[in-house]
Amino acid sequence: MTETGTLTTPVRSPSAPPLLSGLGLFTVLLGAALPLIDFFIVNVALPTIGRDLNAGEAVLELVVAGYGVSYAVLLVLGGRLGDLFGRRQLFLGGMAAFGLTSLACGLAPSAWTLVAARVAQGAASAAMLPQVLATIQSATAGGRRAKAMGLYGATAGLSMVAGQILGGILVAADIAGTGWRAVFLVNVPVVILGLVLAARAVPETRSQHPEPIDTPGTVLLALSLLTLLAPLTEGRAAGWPLWTWLSLALFPLVAAAFYLVERREDRAGRTPLVPPSLFALTSLRRGLIMIVPFSIGFSGFMFVIAVALQRGAGLGPVAAGLALAPMAVVFFFTSLCGPRLIARYGTRVVTAGGLIQMVGVTLITLTAWRSWPDLGVWELLPGAAVAGAGQALQLPVLIRIILSEVPAARAGVGSGVMATTQQSALAVGVATLGTLFLSLVPAHGMRDALVTTLLVQLAGVVLTTALSLRLPRTVG
């Protein structure tokens, strides 16, 4: 097998494992971008959806939460199914389902129909996304893998910011009178292109020793995430009824039961849904611990700034989306420098990124305090650009660190665990920081609520920066 050091298809022997070509990498990265874009794309569309479908705040939160919860709950199962039946097959099936559910979202005649379609869309995303990282892990090696993982991290971060920008543009464009529906219908032609490319360029990989589905573990993991995420995402809008507190009280019990069942399966020599032995990998364990507060802050900020700019500063969906354009642009170009910086400075790049992000969030906070309500792309540009640079030096590197020691045979499991942790944290970020912000608005006003929430996020950035000091010094 010839290692070329580029993303073109290298020459290989017939007995060698399948390799991911440049076109194949582009295709799986397209598949990675779609679910993340759709988590954030509705933030700026929610006011329009509410008016058009006559939906209250609690139902609108379900439009976001229904997608996020089903996505998080099924991600690890999606990774295991890819190991078992073939990652290319699950990728194609998940992408096709994503296109159909996007069409259902775009054609939804009522708010509750939209919620149901969003839940199904989250499930389709959970089938598709784990196959991306698992395919990269199984069909690349050495320098090619490092570049591919760096591009995946850049795609993930950029998608989260670009989703909000794209959502604003599509809502305002009102293409053929579709209004907010365009944020979902735009996925359909993209999915068709992705399916054509995937059928041609994505190689089939699977675990050499696939294990059957761990049914008890799957059920307990789903219950664990539901008892945590459902009350957090719906509690405030529903008025914190009794079921939300009972659910939160049940969470640690179900999580403990899940751990005990998985440990028993692991010790018996079987492969549980989430093998506890996987957490013996220092890089995976410490990387996951750090990605939780990072993702909570990231998603919470994106949700809160979208609400504040539209409801408080009076910006339209395009202006609210474009206010974050500097963050997206700087994130993309900075992330491209990540592999070279890691090769030279190791994981201290992540610590530097945290310090830079601190400066960016501080600038955004000061701008909100001094300039409110006159906030727009120019006022937010310095802080957003600096914060984007800091985030770009953290997220792509963290993803690479987390999966660096995971063996190829467990690529699907490792990818599912990483994606589940990140997605759950994204959902918690919207729920916690969003709840804090919206709860403060009536008593303190939009500006003070925004500043307070940004200060809480800043504390989270300080935590992630401190945690980065415990990462392995080098990336495998």
Side-chain angles (χ1 to χ4, degrees), residues 33 41 51 65 82 97 160 177 297 331-332 362 403 471:
I41 200 169
R51 289 192 299 270
M160 290 188 275
F331 185 102
F332 178 73
T362 301
L403 297 175
L471 294 173

Side-chain angles (χ1 to χ4, degrees), residues 178-261:
T178 55
W180 60 267
R181 298 177 186 276
V183 304
F184 301 113
L185 296 176
V186 71
N187 292 330
V188 177
V190 177
V191 163
I192 292 172
L193 172 64
L195 288 172
V196 172
L197 294 177
R200 175 185 175 189
V202 176
E204 181 64 280
T205 64
R206 69 182 71 203
S207 174
Q208 295 300 310
H209 305 285
E211 296 283 343
I213 299 301
D214 173 16
T215 302
T218 301
V219 172
L220 286 171
L221 177 62
L223 287 175
S224 299
L225 292 173
L226 282 171
T227 54
L228 174 66
L229 297 178
L232 286 179
T233 53
E234 276 298 294
R236 187 197 63 81
W240 296 106
L242 179 61
W243 73 264
T244 59
W245 300 108
L246 292 176
S247 182
L248 288 172
L250 190 60
F251 165 68
L253 301 178
V254 180
F258 170 68
Y259 171 74
L260 292 174
V261 167

Side-chain angles (χ1 to χ4, degrees), residues 32-46 49 67 98 118 154-172 180 182-184 186-187 298-299 302-303 305-306 310 317-318 320-325 327-329 331 426:
L34 287 172
L36 291 169
I37 286 174
D38 266 58
F39 183 82
F40 290 92
I41 200 169
V42 298
N43 281 349
V44 292
L46 287 176
I49 293 173
Y67 176 85
F98 185 85
R118 285 284 283 172
T155 300
L158 184 62
S159 298
M160 290 188 275
V161 183
Q164 209 140 301
I165 298 171
L166 181 61
I169 293 172
L170 288 173
V171 170
W180 60 267
V183 304
F184 301 113
V186 71
N187 292 330
F298 197 117
S299 64
M302 297 296 289
F303 175 79
I305 202 71
Q310 290 191 89
V318 173
L322 289 179
L324 297 176
M327 180 180 288
V329 172
F331 185 102
L426 290 174

Side-chain angles (χ1 to χ4, degrees), residues 22-32 91 95 193-195 197-199 201-202:
L23 183 60
L25 178 61
F26 170 81
T27 305
V28 294
L29 291 181
L30 179 65
F91 181 80
M95 180 171 277
L193 172 64
L195 288 172
L197 294 177
V202 176

